[in-house]
Amino acid sequence: MAIKTKQEYIESLKQLKPTVYMFGEKIENPVDNPRIFAGINTTGATYELAEMEDYRDMITAISPFTGELVNRFTLPAQSIEDLVMRVKLNRILGGYTGTCFQRCTGLDCLGALSIVTHNIDRKYETHYYDRFIDFLKYMQTNDLTGNAGVTDMKGDRSLSPHEQEDKDLYLRVVDKNKEGIIVRGAKAHQTGSLSSHEIIVLPTRALREGNEDYALAFAIPADTKGLIHIVGRSSLDTRELEGVDCGNIRYSKYCPTLIFNDVFVPRERVFMCGEVEFAGEAVGRFSAYHRQSHGGCKAGKIDAMTGAAQIMAEYNGTNKVGHIREKIVDMIHRAETLYGCSLAASYEGKKEPSGTYFIDPVLANASKIHEGKEMAEAGRLLVDVAGGYVANLPSDKDLKNPEIGPLIQKYFKGVADVPTMNRIKMFRLVEKMVLESADTISDIHGGGSAAAHRLTIYRESDINYKKRCAKRLAGIEE
Ligand code: SF4
């Protein structure tokens, strides 16, 4: 079955038995936990779209690897059209869920590995690419979701991995045999690790000689023995756990910490082991792809935020006020700039020796820097338009209370012909989109910090060309 329905996706996760902790307790059935399910439900949208007539042709494509129709979230780009479609899909899904749908990081790992394993083989005559393609076909045929195990804990940032006092602060190989390797360490910010079937691990940074044990790429099922998912808390947990979301659809992001407690990785799932000079390429390509992805999903999220701003203005009776309309326009142009940059990164993509297409990293990183500032500005504008009730709205439980519920309905009324409950629901959605910490912090740090984006832009830009432009104009001859 190459294409799963949303229900089949949810059922397939129920077959896994991952080790999970949340708020100090072991969670036996993560799919049934309301907090975790809100995340799974969001990733489910990527399966749901494949069931919808309007989007089916967009989100599916024939894989050259299996010859079958597959979900694009399992297909490394094989053309410029694939790169472009990726951004368009992300925009649709960002608007559909209003948050992170958590399926892109796995695809970005597949994209990076489809290039880097090939490059390692060309240098060392290893067989990583063939192993990787077998894994890719497995992902495609079963329509699986992958999680990106990229960000190590990093310990003392002034030291390289092998110089750390505790050598496990970066994920490393602690043993090897002919069947495979044993790894130990941890990965932070694991977007939707329990919404995923597979954990795909890449190095977290460029590495030098001496750090061979840390130059690692591999994939393992999310319920592998020794793997522990610790779900952190985030700003709006109570909405799911206590049922106080006033009927908003339960879409949410969560990013567990993953502990690899001496985990065995079979040989056929190892895609890099010791080739230090390729660590930087692997993480660099992953990050660049992910910054392109963000330009799509965050433009889509601003679509939903802009819709909420317009509706709040209508519910509040302020929609004809000039400065309100200006703020809505300011939100729209921010979404279009992000989207435009991300599309441009796709159209300027190039074919790599393995056949996979890679985006223009300067444009992708420019999009991400823009996002870091402009998502916060879009949120500020939305709250400005919606009003202060976003902060202190009574909960569902107060609304259901027979004594105070009718009073809340009476006093939270906006314009006469809009039911109070609609206004309350929209305030709740605004709260969610602006204050959901797991998602809003990713506007800044997702796919690497703002400093990393700048470094990439400087490294990848043709500064000499820019200097030649200036010298010619200045009349300086060399
Ligand atoms: Fe995808 Fe990342 Fe956007 Fe989440 S934040 S929807 S994983 S690109």
Side-chain angles (χ1 to χ4, degrees), residues 114-170:
S114 72
I115 297 171
V116 178
T117 52
H118 193 270
N119 291 347
I120 301 176
D121 286 357
R122 285 200 303 163
K123 180 164 180 185
Y124 289 114
E125 297 183 8
T126 41
H127 300 283
Y128 292 129
Y129 183 71
D130 289 345
R131 284 185 198 168
F132 169 73
I133 293 299
D134 285 345
F135 171 66
L136 180 67
K137 286 181 186 166
Y138 169 72
M139 293 288 287
Q140 293 186 339
T141 307
N142 296 286
D143 199 2
L144 302 181
T145 290
N147 156 268
V150 178
T151 310
D152 283 85
M153 309 312 285
K154 301 194 185 104
D156 181 340
R157 311 280 170 117
S158 70
L159 301 175
S160 71
H162 78 286
E163 293 168 336
Q164 302 286 329
E165 195 176 313
D166 182 341
K167 308 287 181 227
D168 302 337
L169 288 173
Y170 286 76

Side-chain angles (χ1 to χ4, degrees), residues 3-199:
I3 301 285
K4 277 187 166 66
T5 63
K6 180 179 173 184
Q7 198 48 42
E8 286 167 344
Y9 158 67
I10 293 169
E11 291 304 321
S12 67
L13 289 180
K14 286 184 180 168
Q15 305 305 312
L16 299 178
K17 299 286 169 231
T19 305
V20 184
Y21 286 85
M22 189 172 78
F23 301 161
E25 285 178 14
K26 197 165 185 187
I27 309 290
E28 296 298 343
N29 299 305
V31 179
D32 296 332
N33 179 282
R35 170 77 189 96
I36 299 168
F37 184 76
I40 291 171
N41 194 39
T42 321
T43 304
T46 68
Y47 291 86
E48 202 179 346
L49 240 61
E51 296 178 65
M52 296 159 88
E53 211 175 313
D54 284 353
Y55 300 115
R56 192 177 301 135
D57 290 344
M58 269 186 94
I59 200 166
T60 59
I62 297 289
S63 162
F65 304 100
T66 63
E68 287 193 325
L69 199 66
V70 298
N71 190 302
R72 282 187 180 275
F73 279 95
T74 64
L75 180 63
Q78 300 300 300
S79 64
I80 295 289
E81 191 207 341
D82 286 349
L83 289 173
V84 170
M85 200 56 88
R86 170 81 196 284
V87 179
K88 293 189 174 189
L89 269 176
N90 271 19
R91 184 164 189 173
I92 290 164
L93 282 159
Y96 191 69
T97 62
T99 184
C100 166
F101 37 90
Q102 306 149 46
R103 205 176 173 188
C104 323
T105 61
L107 172 56
D108 296 330
C109 284
L110 296 178
L113 284 169
S114 72
I115 297 171
V116 178
T117 52
H118 193 270
N119 291 347
I120 301 176
D121 286 357
R122 285 200 303 163
K123 180 164 180 185
Y124 289 114
E125 297 183 8
T126 41
H127 300 283
Y128 292 129
Y129 183 71
D130 289 345
R131 284 185 198 168
F132 169 73
I133 293 299
D134 285 345
F135 171 66
L136 180 67
K137 286 181 186 166
Y138 169 72
M139 293 288 287
Q140 293 186 339
T141 307
N142 296 286
D143 199 2
L144 302 181
T145 290
N147 156 268
V150 178
T151 310
D152 283 85
M153 309 312 285
K154 301 194 185 104
D156 181 340
R157 311 280 170 117
S158 70
L159 301 175
S160 71
H162 78 286
E163 293 168 336
Q164 302 286 329
E165 195 176 313
D166 182 341
K167 308 287 181 227
D168 302 337
L169 288 173
Y170 286 76
L171 184 76
R172 64 179 179 130
V173 175
V174 290
D175 205 358
K176 288 182 192 174
N177 57 40
K178 58 179 189 324
E179 270 81 47
I181 58 176
I182 312 276
V183 300
R184 186 189 302 154
K187 295 277 184 179
H189 319 303
Q190 294 303 287
T191 305
S193 65
L194 295 159
S195 311
S196 304
H197 307 89
E198 292 283 333
I199 309 296

Side-chain angles (χ1 to χ4, degrees), residues 376-437:
E377 182 61 5
R380 187 189 71 76
L381 289 164
L382 173 55
V383 171
D384 187 343
V385 171
Y389 290 141
V390 175
N392 295 311
L393 214 59
S395 80
D396 256 18
K397 293 185 178 173
D398 295 317
L399 277 155
K400 285 175 193 149
N401 180 296
E403 268 177 55
I404 57 169
L407 292 171
I408 294 170
Q409 293 273 358
K410 172 180 162 73
Y411 287 109
F412 278 87
K413 187 85 182 163
V415 296
D417 60 347
V418 172
T420 306
M421 203 52 214
N422 287 7
R423 190 166 179 240
I424 286 178
K425 283 182 177 187
M426 197 50 70
F427 276 127
R428 277 278 176 248
L429 177 67
V430 172
E431 177 202 37
K432 175 89 172 175
M433 290 195 288
V434 175
L435 295 175
E436 184 189 9
S437 59

Side-chain angles (χ1 to χ4, degrees), residues 53 65 94 210 239 305 321 341 399 434 438 459:
E53 211 175 313
F65 304 100
R239 290 175 55 137
M305 292 165 79
V321 178
C341 228
L399 277 155
V434 175
R459 193 182 59 227

